Amino acid sequence: MAHLQLTAVAGGSDDDMEEVALLGSYGEAEGPSSRTEEEEEAGMRRAQVRVTGMTCSACTGAVEAALSARCGVSSAAVSLLQNRAHVVFDPALAKEEDIVEAIEDAGFEAEILPDSAVSQPKSQKVLSGQFRIGGMTCAACVNSVEGILKKLPGVNRAVVALATSLGEVEYDPTAISKDEIVQAIEDAGFEAALVQSSEQDKALLGLIGLHTERDVNLLYDILRKTEGLRQFDVNSVRAEVEITFDPEVVGLRSVVDIIDMESSGRLKGHVQNPYVRSSSNDAQEASKMLHLLRSSLFLSIPVFFMRMVCPHISFINSFLLMHCGPFRIGDLLKWMLVSVVQFVVGKRFYIAAYRALRHGSTNMDVLVVLGTTATYVYSVCALLYGAFTGFHPPMYFETSAMIITFVLLGKYLEVLAKGRTSDAIKKLVELVPATAILLLKYKDGKYAGEKEIDALLIQPGDVLKVLPGSKIPADGIVTWGTSHVDESMVTGESASICKEVSSSVIGGTMNLNGILHIQAAKVGSGTVLSQIISLVETAQMSKAPIQKFADYVAGIFVPIVITLSLLTFCTWFVCGTLGAYPNSWVSETSNCFVFSLMFSISVVVIACPCALGLATPTAVMVATGVGANHGVLVKGGDALERAQNVNYIIFDKTGTLTQGKATVTTTKVFSGMDVGDFLTLVASAEASSEHPLAKAILDYAFHFHFFGKLPSSKDDVKKRKEDAFSQWLLEVADFSALPGKGVQCLINGKMILVGNRALISENGVNIPEEAESFLVDMELNAKTGILVAYDGNFIGLMGVTDPLKREAAVVIEGLKKMGIYPVMVTGDNWRTALAVAKEIGIEDVRAEVMPAGKADVIRIFQKDGSVVAMVGDGINDSPALAAADVGMAIGAGTDIAIEAADYVLVRNNLEDVITAIDLSRKTFSRIRWNYFFAMAYNIVAIPVAAGALFPFTGLQMPPWLAGACMAFSSVSVVCSSLLLRRYRKPRLTTVLQITVE
């Protein structure tokens, strides 16, 4: 078998059978952590550069080529995953500025990182904080906040999402604190609060019983005496305390217990769940908006009633026309009611508009303030003019009030709708049980009893009791009991899975029918569920490239609308003054100025930049949540956007198209050696290997020797199996793995080779014709041949097969129907590869490809601008996954933190590849509709509001109606995105256009 590797690197994935070999070199390409002695002796310097703008491996190649061509640069390694370049250069010939210039000339942005950033790993030096930002209304606000955050010293990256009202900031805590970031956001005119941080030793505790100054002093005394607490900050108003602690000295549960015991039960501490706090903030925002809406309605309806209904009720109209001094009672009542709406209820619009203008940006609040203030000021002037002259021009107090009311109604509905876009995360959070049963034990290990604790206080090593019908509180290992567990809510696998002693379990899954004792292994942010939630959140925070269009339009939208409004006013006013339209167009109680002003105000009020800003992020947010529910985890909007345009999809063979469960099917000895002795030799050589094929050979040899000779008890079988291994395997010396070829070692002082043709031929061993013919027959039947030589002589071979996944052929056919061309790339020999490809319907095959060559194959397909997806089985495909435009790690299971992949397909099912691409296409079809609605609304509504149809139809849009249209335009876009929640995975019969009778 060409380029077969029989031994995996230690710590590698057991699912891989071909491409473990390059992990070492790939890791090295990402950048060594320290200078080598040779570099120091040669006087070379190492620089680490942050490179922005790279999207695929072609970009890294361009950066590397540009750097290598620069005089004085010794070597350059670029990491796509980390967006960094590690450059070794001669300071006598090149400077850091030259390196930056070379990268920028290649079309990318570059920034030299300080030496401290090179020496310190990211996890220790850079923190990632999530901040809740209130007061943002459109994409212009997002741009303003992002711009301010990126200018702060110590901030490496800042991403703000309008749909979630969240900002994610990567910052150096030695250069800037979270409080300074919050202050900067607030100085920009927005509300800000830290939601959560990546710091491992910080926690926020809520306190029950913290009411008086005496309680606060008691808490201070307790915390001061607690060992391991580095810092604490008590907020008596919110009954919270933020603690910084050394997890090696004191655990979080211990801190809570100490507070409870030392206060004699007066104070009860509990961990504040950041997601629950976020939901609470969303509810508060909706409640606040509802209160404003009710107040506005309560005040606006009487004004509207006095204008539209009262004139037709004689006795009420007579009362309203009575004078109170120089003013009519009706006018005074409208003035007072509308003043409250304008300056009390509408204060939030004035504050937001002021803050935006102060920082040189514009948003929807500016338009609302302009429109309502112009109407209000004109109406007040008309009121005063009528009071002192006796001539009462028309007043439009109700217009100002109704605009604010409709805008608030739209905002309230928008808040509710946006809240529903994050339902996926809320459902995931709700999977975790609130409490857990902790099994207490004495020092001698005997169990002393049970205690119900907060699930957030579980610590690694805790033994927990899980009852039937309850959820597993943390990731861990079963130490006692047998049961079936439903993992569908996390992995998407519908069938329940049997769990017994030593089985791993996932937090948030449902224990069905038996009591289990589990030992917690991962808690908090380390659990699978937390990582999935984090991954979904990160994806929802990211911006799809198509969002750049909306960001650009948002930056110029408001100035354009104001210009159009002024142009509208001037056009109608000048035409009216010159008599260009008949006087009958203007009502008897009005004049040319008022007539023109109403058109102008309608233009300002009807324009809506919010709809454009919400078109992409809301759809991406819903799509990533829907994907998570189907076991398809998307790492960002850019990946979601690229997947819709995939032209080629490249499959790794082993573990992707096949089940990754190799079994030995054939053994043939050509030397006259006994089969048992032959298998003992091969198994002894493979015993030191971690490769899946080695395991298959060991199992086959063990089964051959001991079948029917082991007891029936599982525990006895395990013990006897371990004893048997130590007795029948031969002693091995000088073992070594040869990547892509096989293994070699010494047994009884003689060299044994186990591997493919290349390994046997390179060592000068001749393969007999009979063996060659037998080997060719196996390969033509999609079996992999493993050749064995001992003491320089060929002694036999083994046939190994890896069954194809049952859905492989149908999925390949489905991808073809979707217009995607499938390709198979494998390190296996050509005969086996072609046999497998023929069976599943793939025409394009690249065989005998070394792990490094897979990325090269991808680049070949990318040369003509095609979008290439790579489907691999995890971390060992990292180079190829990173080189592809869309990397999909399939069968990741609980290992969801695969850095190189854009998509993580939790289940080991190829149908999810179709789901991922179909979801991408459906999402961006929805985004295009959103943009169409948003653009069409503004393109049609603004001319109508400006009076373009008035000369032909007499249709004039009142400003209050324009405000209602504006309010509902953004709501309609969010509701359009919410339709993605109805997404269902495509049935293969539908994809294949098969009619099922």
Side-chain angles (χ1 to χ4, degrees):
M1 186 179 98
H3 308 311
L4 173 68
Q5 181 189 339
L6 295 181
T7 302
V9 177
S13 170
D14 287 343
D15 294 329
D16 181 70
M17 297 170 65
E18 301 168 7
E19 51 275 322
V20 187
L22 246 65
L23 278 182
S25 60
Y26 183 71
E28 185 178 356
E30 291 184 347
S33 60
S34 60
R35 298 183 186 182
T36 61
E37 293 180 5
E38 291 82 355
E39 288 173 8
E40 292 177 353
E41 291 174 2
M44 293 291 186
R45 285 189 57 193
R46 179 181 297 276
Q48 191 178 50
V49 189
R50 181 184 295 111
V51 184
T52 306
M54 298 188 298
T55 57
C56 62
S57 55
C59 300
T60 62
V63 175
E64 286 180 352
L67 290 170
S68 300
R70 183 69 59 160
C71 178
V73 174
S74 173
S75 64
V78 180
S79 169
L80 175 66
L81 304 182
Q82 297 180 354
N83 287 321
R84 293 191 180 183
H86 301 265
V87 187
V88 179
F89 64 99
D90 185 348
L93 300 175
K95 298 179 180 179
E96 291 179 343
E97 291 78 8
D98 298 328
I99 295 170
V100 171
E101 184 181 347
I103 296 173
E104 290 178 344
D105 288 344
F108 304 92
E109 298 178 14
E111 176 191 356
I112 297 289
L113 297 174
D115 290 340
S116 59
V118 179
S119 60
Q120 293 285 346
K122 178 181 174 182
S123 59
Q124 296 178 10
K125 191 65 181 172
V126 178
L127 293 181
S128 178
Q130 196 176 77
F131 297 83
R132 177 163 295 281
I133 303 171
M136 296 188 299
T137 57
C138 61
C141 301
V142 173
N143 295 338
S144 176
V145 176
E146 280 187 352
I148 290 163
L149 288 173
K150 288 175 181 177
K151 292 176 183 177
L152 295 176
V155 172
N156 299 336
R157 186 178 70 93
V159 179
V160 178
L162 176 63
T164 58
S165 297
L166 291 175
E168 191 171 275
V169 183
E170 274 188 9
Y171 63 99
D172 182 351
T174 62
I176 189 170
S177 69
K178 66 175 179 63
D179 294 326
E180 291 172 320
I181 295 174
V182 169
Q183 187 63 46
I185 297 172
E186 290 178 344
D187 287 345
F190 302 91
E191 299 170 2
L194 179 69
V195 176
Q196 62 181 348
S197 166
S198 62
E199 261 187 303
Q200 296 295 314
D201 58 351
K202 250 186 186 177
L204 185 66
L205 299 179
L207 293 163
I208 299 173
L210 193 69
H211 304 302
T212 65
E213 190 68 26
R214 182 182 174 189
D215 297 329
V216 174
N217 293 334
L218 175 61
L219 179 63
Y220 271 103
D221 292 337
I222 295 170
L223 295 177
R224 285 195 194 101
K225 296 174 185 176
T226 304
E227 291 185 4
L229 278 190
R230 298 173 184 164
Q231 186 180 346
F232 59 88
D233 182 18
V234 179
N235 186 333
S236 57
V237 177
R238 301 190 63 172
E240 293 176 347
V241 58
E242 186 182 84
I243 60 171
T244 304
F245 63 97
D246 185 347
E248 299 297 321
V249 178
V250 63
L252 190 55
R253 187 167 73 239
S254 300
V255 175
V256 173
D257 290 342
I258 289 169
I259 293 173
D260 187 15
M261 287 187 296
E262 293 295 323
S263 67
S264 301
R266 285 174 55 190
L267 300 176
K268 298 281 187 181
H270 60 274
V271 180
Q272 293 277 45
N273 190 321
Y275 301 107
V276 174
R277 292 184 72 203
S278 297
S279 299
S280 176
N281 287 333
D282 290 339
Q284 288 177 8
E285 175 69 15
S287 176
K288 181 180 178 182
M289 200 63 68
L290 180 60
H291 175 71
L292 289 174
L293 175 61
R294 284 173 173 170
S295 301
S296 186
L297 273 173
F298 180 76
L299 296 168
S300 300
I301 288 176
V303 176
F304 189 78
F305 186 79
M306 281 188 281
R307 172 63 187 264
M308 306 301 294
V309 179
C310 290
H312 303 288
I313 304 174
S314 58
F315 71 93
I316 296 178
N317 189 44
S318 300
F319 172 74
L320 294 177
L321 291 176
M322 292 174 61
H323 282 71
C324 179
F327 302 103
R328 292 187 296 200
I329 291 177
D331 295 341
L332 276 179
L333 286 173
K334 286 190 279 188
W335 187 13
M336 288 187 291
L337 291 172
V338 171
S339 295
V340 176
V341 174
Q342 185 76 30
F343 300 111
V344 178
V345 177
K347 181 177 71 172
R348 64 185 304 276
F349 297 112
Y350 280 94
I351 293 173
Y354 167 72
R355 289 170 174 173
L357 293 172
R358 191 179 66 179
H359 288 87
S361 62
T362 52
N363 56 21
M364 187 206 72
D365 296 304
V366 173
L367 295 179
V368 172
V369 167
L370 279 176
T372 57
T373 303
T375 307
Y376 178 83
V377 169
Y378 162 76
S379 299
V380 171
C381 291
L383 174 67
L384 297 175
Y385 180 81
F388 293 106
T389 64
F391 175 75
H392 296 279
M395 289 173 285
Y396 296 94
F397 281 119
E398 74 286 346
T399 296
S400 169
M402 295 306 291
I403 287 174
I404 290 176
T405 301
F406 278 120
V407 171
L408 287 173
L409 175 61
K411 284 295 168 188
Y412 174 65
L413 295 175
E414 188 180 313
V415 168
L416 293 180
K418 284 197 294 185
R420 295 182 67 188
T421 62
S422 59
D423 278 353
I425 288 182
K426 292 175 185 174
K427 288 179 181 177
L428 289 171
V429 172
E430 289 169 359
L431 290 178
V432 183
T435 61
I437 300 175
L438 175 68
L439 294 178
L440 306 174
K441 55 185 178 180
Y442 296 113
K443 292 183 179 179
D444 59 3
K446 293 183 180 179
Y447 290 108
E450 301 175 355
K451 179 184 177 183
E452 189 172 21
I453 63 170
D454 189 332
L456 295 172
L457 296 176
I458 297 172
Q459 297 173 174
D462 285 346
V463 178
L464 308 167
K465 182 179 180 180
V466 186
L467 299 173
S470 62
K471 293 177 181 176
I472 295 171
D475 294 2
I477 305 295
V478 176
T479 59
W480 180 87
T482 303
S483 181
H484 282 77
V485 174
D486 179 7
E487 297 183 346
S488 61
M489 61 284 293
V490 175
T491 65
E493 293 287 356
S494 57
S496 60
I497 300 171
C498 180
K499 300 293 181 181
E500 53 190 13
V501 175
S502 299
S503 297
S504 60
V505 290
I506 305 172
T509 55
M510 180 69 72
N511 180 28
L512 296 178
N513 51 20
I515 296 176
L516 293 176
H517 290 182
I518 67 165
Q519 185 175 38
K522 294 180 180 178
V523 298
S525 60
T527 63
V528 170
L529 198 57
S530 293
Q531 291 181 58
I532 291 176
I533 292 170
S534 176
L535 201 61
V536 174
E537 276 192 326
T538 302
Q540 293 179 346
M541 291 286 298
S542 66
K543 288 185 179 180
I546 197 173
Q547 178 69 19
K548 293 178 181 177
F549 167 74
D551 291 343
Y552 170 75
V553 172
I556 61 174
F557 186 85
V558 175
I560 289 176
V561 168
I562 294 173
T563 302
L564 289 174
S565 175
L566 291 173
L567 187 62
T568 299
F569 174 79
C570 293
T571 301
W572 281 106
F573 186 72
V574 170
C575 290
T577 304
L578 299 177
Y581 53 79
N583 294 331
S584 60
W585 286 9
V586 182
S587 64
E588 295 179 1
T589 58
S590 183
N591 55 50
C592 181
F593 175 82
V594 176
F595 182 69
S596 305
L597 181 64
M598 290 301 106
F599 281 120
S600 177
I601 292 173
S602 293
V603 170
V604 170
V605 172
I606 204 168
C608 183
C610 296
L612 280 171
L614 292 168
T616 298
T618 52
V620 169
M621 193 171 187
V622 176
T624 50
V626 167
N629 290 337
H630 288 93
V632 177
L633 304 179
V634 191
K635 289 199 173 178
D638 52 345
L640 199 63
E641 181 167 348
R642 290 196 300 270
Q644 63 167 330
N645 298 317
V646 168
N647 306 113
Y648 295 93
I649 187 159
I650 298 178
F651 289 94
D652 170 42
K653 179 177 79 71
T654 306
T656 302
L657 293 171
T658 65
Q659 296 178 14
K661 299 174 182 177
T663 55
V664 177
T665 58
T666 309
T667 301
K668 184 83 170 173
V669 181
F670 292 91
S671 63
M673 181 184 293
D674 180 73
V675 174
D677 295 338
F678 171 78
L679 291 175
T680 301
L681 272 175
V682 179
S684 300
E686 291 292 347
S688 300
S689 170
E690 295 183 3
H691 197 278
L693 282 186
K695 183 179 182 298
I697 292 170
L698 277 169
D699 287 344
Y700 181 81
F702 184 85
H703 184 81
F704 179 88
H705 284 294
F706 297 98
F707 179 71
K709 300 177 183 180
L710 294 176
S712 57
S713 169
K714 286 188 176 181
D715 292 337
D716 291 341
V717 167
K718 187 176 180 180
K719 185 175 185 303
R720 287 283 300 274
K721 192 171 182 179
E722 292 173 354
D723 294 340
F725 266 118
S726 64
Q727 293 171 5
W728 69 282
L729 292 178
L730 304 173
E731 186 176 347
V732 172
D734 297 336
F735 174 88
S736 63
L738 305 172
K741 297 177 183 178
V743 299
Q744 67 180 27
C745 60
L746 294 176
I747 297 179
N748 297 328
K750 299 176 182 178
M751 177 67 71
I752 182 169
L753 307 170
V754 183
N756 55 22
R757 281 191 183 86
L759 178 65
I760 302 299
S761 301
E762 286 175 6
N763 285 273
V765 179
N766 292 321
I767 303 174
E769 289 186 9
E770 182 185 358
E772 180 66 35
S773 176
F774 189 82
L775 181 61
V776 170
D777 287 340
M778 283 198 310
E779 291 172 345
L780 290 174
N781 288 298
K783 296 179 182 177
T784 298
I786 297 176
L787 289 70
V788 184
Y790 184 56
D791 195 22
N793 298 311
F794 183 84
I795 61 172
L797 56 80
M798 304 177 75
V800 178
T801 184
D802 186 6
L804 285 167
K805 291 178 179 174
R806 61 180 179 79
E807 74 277 7
V810 183
V811 169
I812 295 300
E813 183 65 23
L815 288 169
K816 291 178 181 177
K817 293 283 186 180
M818 295 171 72
I820 300 170
Y821 189 73
V823 181
M824 187 178 80
V825 178
T826 178
D828 213 336
N829 64 80
W830 275 101
R831 291 192 188 94
T832 303
L834 289 171
V836 171
K838 183 179 179 181
E839 190 171 346
I840 59 177
I842 292 180
E843 290 86 14
D844 195 339
V845 180
R846 309 296 166 99
E848 300 183 5
V849 179
M850 294 293 283
K854 293 186 178 182
D856 295 331
V857 171
I858 290 170
R859 293 187 186 100
I860 290 171
F861 284 104
Q862 290 172 331
K863 280 185 178 178
D864 63 352
S866 297
V867 178
V868 181
M870 168 71 190
V871 183
D873 57 350
I875 195 167
N876 296 314
D877 292 311
S878 290
L881 290 171
D885 298 296
V886 180
M888 297 184 184
I890 190 171
T894 59
D895 182 19
I896 63 151
I898 297 174
E899 292 296 328
D902 300 302
Y903 281 79
V904 178
L905 311 180
V906 179
R907 301 187 307 158
N908 195 14
N909 193 318
L910 288 169
E911 293 178 26
D912 289 343
V913 175
I914 289 180
T915 301
I917 296 172
D918 182 67
L919 178 62
S920 171
R921 291 181 176 181
K922 293 277 198 318
T923 301
F924 277 84
S925 173
R926 179 59 55 188
I927 288 173
R928 292 186 190 97
W929 274 109
N930 286 351
Y931 275 129
F932 172 78
F933 286 133
M935 293 295 293
Y937 164 79
N938 283 294
I939 290 172
V940 173
I942 290 177
V944 171
L949 299 180
F950 184 80
F952 313 104
T953 63
L955 177 64
Q956 182 178 11
M957 182 176 289
W960 64 266
L961 182 59
C965 293
M966 184 271 286
F968 285 101
S969 64
S970 56
V971 176
S972 64
V973 167
V974 177
C975 291
S976 170
S977 295
L978 284 174
L979 291 175
L980 284 170
R981 296 175 67 202
R982 301 169 61 187
Y983 174 83
R984 295 292 179 268
K985 294 174 64 173
R987 297 175 59 130
L988 287 177
T989 51
T990 305
V991 175
L992 296 175
Q993 299 174 353
I994 298 173
T995 303
V996 180
E997 298 294 338

